[in-house]
Amino acid sequence: MRDMRCGGAQYGWDMHFTRPRELVVAGLIGLVAVYLLFEFAYGQLPSLPTLAGATLLVLAGIETVLAFVVRGRIREGRVITGLGIARAVALAKASSLLGALMLGAWLAGVAFLAPQAGDITAAADDLPAAIVGAACAAVLIGAALWLEYCCRAPDTGDRNE
């Protein structure tokens, strides 16, 4: 993918499309941090609401709608300010990193709770929340990456078609 040059280039930093390694690192940070939290403090934590991760799904829905709007405007050649696109890209990058961090966190919950669900009632009660949260985080990552993709400038060959 092409780098996106913005005003930060003069300061030695460039905005670029989200790289898989950035998402992997964020996911691993979430996984390790939450697994350690569960390992040392699960007995003191309150129970997990089943729909705790659903807020990520709401954000994913908003970003999906925004992606289709941006994509349609770019394809139709309607003028969109560069600042608006930059804001959408910044939202997409932040959301994909949040989604990766939360996916790691919820997967840590699944990894910790699944083996104990047969023996501990609280673990069995919390396991569905971890599964729902992981699924919603994965959907957020997909929606954010789709929004980021839709913000790309079309190639000059695309304009002639």
Side-chain angles (χ1 to χ4, degrees):
M1 289 187 188
R2 296 175 281 166
D3 279 348
M4 296 176 281
R5 303 288 177 187
C6 62
Q10 62 191 356
Y11 301 110
W13 54 270
D14 294 322
M15 181 182 273
H16 55 83
F17 286 102
T18 303
R19 296 181 179 126
R21 70 174 174 242
E22 295 167 344
L23 299 178
V24 169
V25 168
L28 288 175
I29 289 170
L31 183 96
V32 170
V34 172
Y35 193 86
L36 290 174
L37 175 68
F38 275 15
E39 188 70 37
F40 294 111
Y42 181 67
Q44 288 79 37
L45 295 174
S47 64
L48 298 173
T50 304
L51 297 178
T55 55
L56 301 175
L57 192 60
V58 171
L59 183 57
I62 292 168
E63 291 193 25
T64 300
V65 169
L66 181 60
F68 281 110
V69 169
V70 167
R71 182 178 179 212
R73 287 187 179 177
I74 289 174
R75 282 187 171 178
E76 293 169 3
R78 288 194 275 163
V79 176
I80 300 177
T81 64
L83 185 58
I85 296 296
R87 287 178 179 163
V89 170
L91 172 66
K93 288 182 69 63
S95 296
S96 64
L97 288 173
L98 170 69
L101 184 70
M102 292 307 298
L103 178 61
W106 287 116
L107 287 177
V110 171
F112 181 83
L113 297 169
Q116 299 181 20
D119 300 329
I120 302 172
T121 305
D125 293 343
D126 289 343
L127 185 58
I131 293 169
V132 168
C136 292
V139 171
L140 176 59
I141 294 169
L145 292 175
W146 173 246
L147 173 58
E148 189 175 333
Y149 176 80
C150 289
C151 290
R152 293 186 319 151
D155 292 331
T156 54
D158 292 344
R159 292 183 188 155
N160 294 333
E161 296 174 7

